[in-house]
Amino acid sequence: YNRITPKGRPISMNETGRQMARDAILGLYPNGGTSIYDAVSSAWDDLCLDIKQNPQDRSIRMIVVLTDGEDNQSKTNLYYLINKIGFSLPNPSGGYFGDAKCKIPVFGIVLSASEASPDFKNLKKLTTSTRGDTAASTPQNLLKLLDKITAYYWLAAEKGPSTSLRE
């Protein structure tokens, strides 16, 4: 994430942003080190800051994770991250985890791990805590995930990006 987008400013999905994302993805090579939780935490921080600094911006924000499923380098703990961004989970105080102003769903696409693997299950815990979801990369699973992403997009477009999927 940090190598693709300028720190503090998410990529807009206009033609320039799409080209930046394409170029960055094409320049990626596996090297055995994966920091999923650190990347999601950093992306969420940037998106949340952008929401708070630009409340008039009606952009629909979401995070999509494309991974081999094994987080083996993060300094960020899964459960710390869920507490930080998991706006769909009730907390012991009667509210919800996360920041009420930053209801940002996370969606995951896992390329090589099976749905039974601990890495897949952990990413699924994270994504569902944000009303997102995770799919293994079969055509059927990817179509279902794309349907969920599209449903979120249209709901947010209709009700506003801060509405999110909790309602």
Side-chain angles (χ1 to χ4, degrees):
Y1 167 76
N2 291 333
R3 290 177 288 170
I4 296 174
T5 186
K7 186 73 179 139
R9 186 66 191 157
I11 295 176
S12 295
M13 281 295 104
N14 55 26
E15 187 52 40
T16 302
R18 285 191 294 274
Q19 188 60 49
M20 283 175 62
R22 261 187 238 113
D23 292 346
I25 290 168
L26 291 173
L28 294 175
Y29 297 96
N31 65 6
T34 303
S35 302
I36 298 168
Y37 309 142
D38 290 348
V40 170
S41 182
S42 181
W44 186 89
D45 288 343
D46 287 350
L47 288 172
C48 186
L49 181 64
D50 191 53
I51 288 168
K52 290 177 178 180
Q53 289 180 342
N54 301 295
Q56 75 288 351
D57 184 351
R58 305 293 291 164
S59 296
I60 298 168
R61 297 163 177 94
M62 68 181 75
I63 297 169
V64 179
V65 177
L66 179 63
T67 183
D68 63 4
E70 183 179 359
D71 185 314
N72 55 15
Q73 297 287 313
S74 282
K75 293 175 178 67
T76 304
N77 174 281
L78 171 64
Y79 295 101
Y80 167 82
L81 187 56
I82 288 172
N83 287 338
K84 176 179 172 180
I85 72 173
F87 68 85
S88 73
L89 297 178
N91 67 29
S93 306
Y96 290 86
F97 288 111
D99 185 325
K101 293 182 181 177
C102 299
K103 299 175 184 175
I104 304 164
V106 179
F107 296 93
I109 300 169
V110 181
L111 299 176
S112 60
S114 78
E115 292 182 13
S117 77
D119 297 314
F120 182 93
K121 289 179 181 179
N122 285 341
L123 185 57
K124 185 138 180 119
K125 284 178 194 174
L126 175 63
T127 59
T128 56
S129 78
T130 68
R131 296 284 174 157
D133 203 357
T134 297
S137 62
T138 66
Q140 299 86 352
N141 290 341
L142 292 177
L143 285 173
K144 288 178 189 174
L145 187 65
L146 183 58
D147 284 346
K148 290 179 183 183
I149 292 171
T150 303
Y152 167 73
Y153 177 84
W154 287 113
L155 177 68
E158 180 182 310
K159 295 188 175 188
S162 63
T163 309
S164 189
L165 298 174
R166 187 184 293 158
E167 285 78 28

